[in-house]
Amino acid sequence: MHKIITIAWNMVRRSIGTVKGVMIFILLPSVVVAAIISFTGGAGEEQATVLYANSDTGAAGKHLLAELAKTGDYKLEERRDEAALKEATIEQEGTAGLWIPAGYSASLMAGQQPQISIYELRASESSMVLRMKLTAITANMAEAAQAVAAGSGGTGDVQAQLAAVLRQAEQHNVGSTRTDYNLYPRQTLSVVTGLTLMFLMALVTSSVSLITDDRSGRTMIRMFSAPVRSYEIALGNFLGSFLVGMIQILVVLSLGRWVLRYDYGMPMALYFLVLAAFMLVSMGIASTVAGLIRNPRNAGMLNSLILTPTCMLGGCFWPISIMPDYMQKLANFTPQKWAIQAVDIAATGGGWNELWLPFAILGLMAAILLAVGSAILRPNEAGISA
């Protein structure tokens, strides 16, 4: 065990023991991920602007807007009519446009289900949450309208009675607040995750380069004759690179969560566990590839042959769903796909009854690749000198 730890510590020191190593493996990923978070989803996210045109003269339309305003999630901006609302939506003056038709309150009192029109250029998380909130508010108003209609017995001003009930409801003396709608991950989460996975995969190139340098410089032969067994050398290199990856993950996640106040939409520990599982597979790939490559100059080919293609197939740069069917099937053989899927499941409220599959596949990949890497490393053989 002491030999494995010694080899691992030497790998850590050679990777991030210099200013260049710290900049490449720690500072660069942190800066890039921080920039993405800051520009697209960092702390202090602005309220979504919702444009509206209210053609209803009754209490229901006013109550609907009042309830949206009370959530604090939206900045409401009025437009004079439906045509102006459509034009403003096309000009992207707001996230979505909300049109309340004339007679909306009267339709509710008549037991009908009047439709509210929502205009948007593209579906987004904000617009989906807006739809859900409108559905919930409308359902509550419909129940109130039915209760008023049943209690009035057809006498009195039912519109005034409904207005009184809705004003009382706006006091929210008793109520609940739901902050997690379990729709899908935040819009920026997939981008942040994809970039983080890409930087973690970059450690593969560094690990392979260091291992091939040891082989070509006959350092590995001297370790093997110490004697140090082949699996101890493989495990030491694996553990050292894995520790570097853990440091990188901790720095990136800590910067996003406690400095930029970014909400990952899931427990930090679970997100860390997903990235750690992916790191295990990455180091398994490094061990296997290092056992196959004999010339240190060929290590640079990993970017074009393994890293970039797997990141593209695995969904680091774009959603897997937009790719052709055959590419979606190929994505099942990339660890990036299963890491992103685990993040998606966790961010949408999924439990371990769903998370076990991606974790099991990542664990199986790591075990197989590490076993293969240990078998083909052959530290007693010298590589081709650079």
Side-chain angles (χ1 to χ4, degrees):
M1 186 64 184
H2 175 72
K3 299 174 183 177
I4 295 176
I5 294 176
T6 301
I7 295 173
W9 172 245
N10 184 58
M11 176 68 75
V12 173
R13 184 176 56 81
R14 293 167 67 190
S15 297
I16 58 175
T18 62
V19 174
K20 180 181 178 181
V22 172
M23 290 181 63
I24 293 176
F25 298 116
I26 304 299
L27 293 183
L28 181 60
S30 300
V31 169
V32 173
V33 174
I36 294 296
I37 291 175
S38 298
F39 284 119
T40 60
E45 291 185 346
E46 295 183 356
Q47 294 174 314
T49 299
V50 175
L51 311 175
Y52 74 92
N54 184 13
S55 299
D56 181 46
T57 57
K62 296 177 181 178
H63 175 75
L64 186 66
L65 295 173
E67 290 296 284
L68 286 179
K70 284 182 181 295
T71 64
D73 297 331
Y74 305 105
K75 178 183 178 183
L76 300 179
E77 293 187 3
E78 186 177 9
R79 294 298 182 268
R80 64 180 182 274
D81 52 30
E82 185 180 10
L85 180 66
K86 290 181 180 179
E87 182 179 353
T89 303
I90 293 174
E91 295 296 328
Q92 300 185 34
E93 296 178 12
T95 302
L98 173 64
W99 180 60
I100 304 174
Y104 179 74
S105 299
S107 298
L108 279 177
M109 289 303 304
Q112 301 175 3
Q113 295 181 344
Q115 295 297 316
I116 298 175
S117 299
I118 299 179
Y119 301 106
E120 56 187 345
L121 290 181
R122 57 184 179 275
S124 65
E125 179 181 356
S126 296
S127 63
M128 291 295 292
V129 173
L130 175 63
R131 289 178 182 273
M132 293 185 66
K133 289 181 178 179
L134 289 174
T135 299
I137 296 171
T138 301
N140 291 335
M141 287 195 299
E143 292 179 0
Q146 292 175 8
V148 169
S152 65
T155 61
D157 187 351
V158 292
Q159 288 286 354
Q161 295 177 30
L162 176 62
V165 171
L166 294 181
R167 282 195 300 270
Q168 184 63 31
E170 290 174 10
Q171 301 302 316
H172 291 284
N173 296 321
V174 177
S176 63
T177 301
R178 185 176 185 182
T179 58
D180 182 8
Y181 285 84
N182 295 333
L183 290 174
Y184 44 77
R186 296 183 56 177
Q187 292 171 307
T188 56
L189 182 59
S190 59
V191 179
V192 172
T193 302
L195 285 174
T196 304
L197 297 181
M198 183 182 67
F199 282 115
L200 291 177
M201 283 291 287
L203 287 174
V204 173
T205 301
S206 172
S207 300
V208 171
S209 297
L210 292 175
I211 294 173
T212 52
D213 285 343
D214 286 344
R215 182 184 285 113
S216 63
R218 298 182 179 275
T219 301
M220 196 169 289
I221 291 180
R222 291 194 293 271
M223 284 192 295
F224 188 69
S225 61
V228 180
R229 296 182 180 181
S230 177
Y231 80 88
E232 291 177 325
I233 296 175
L235 281 177
N237 289 318
F238 179 95
L239 180 60
S241 298
F242 180 74
L243 289 176
V244 174
M246 293 299 97
I247 295 173
Q248 185 184 100
I249 293 171
L250 284 173
V251 172
V252 171
L253 293 187
S254 299
L255 178 65
R257 179 64 184 89
W258 287 292
V259 177
L260 299 176
R261 300 295 180 183
Y262 180 73
D263 181 11
Y264 291 102
M266 70 183 77
M268 280 278 290
L270 181 55
Y271 196 28
F272 177 85
L273 190 60
V274 173
L275 296 178
F278 176 80
M279 194 65 215
L280 287 174
V281 182
S282 298
M283 293 303 97
I285 294 174
S287 299
T288 301
V289 173
L292 295 173
I293 292 180
R294 289 293 181 266
N295 191 338
R297 290 176 295 183
N298 294 333
M301 298 173 58
L302 288 174
N303 290 326
S304 57
L305 296 180
I306 296 179
L307 304 189
T308 302
T310 56
C311 286
M312 293 171 65
L313 277 176
C316 291
F317 304 139
W318 48 69
I320 294 178
S321 58
I322 70 173
M323 299 191 301
D325 289 340
Y326 75 94
M327 294 184 70
Q328 294 186 34
K329 293 178 181 178
L330 288 175
N332 291 323
F333 297 95
T334 64
Q336 291 92 329
K337 187 258 188 184
W338 296 104
I340 292 175
Q341 180 172 313
V343 171
D344 289 347
I345 292 173
T348 52
W352 284 103
N353 59 323
E354 299 176 83
L355 284 170
W356 73 268
L357 180 60
F359 272 102
I361 293 176
L362 289 173
L364 182 62
M365 285 182 176
I368 292 175
L369 289 169
L370 180 59
V372 172
S374 300
I376 66 177
L377 186 61
R378 296 190 293 275
N380 60 317
E381 296 183 7
I384 301 174
S385 299

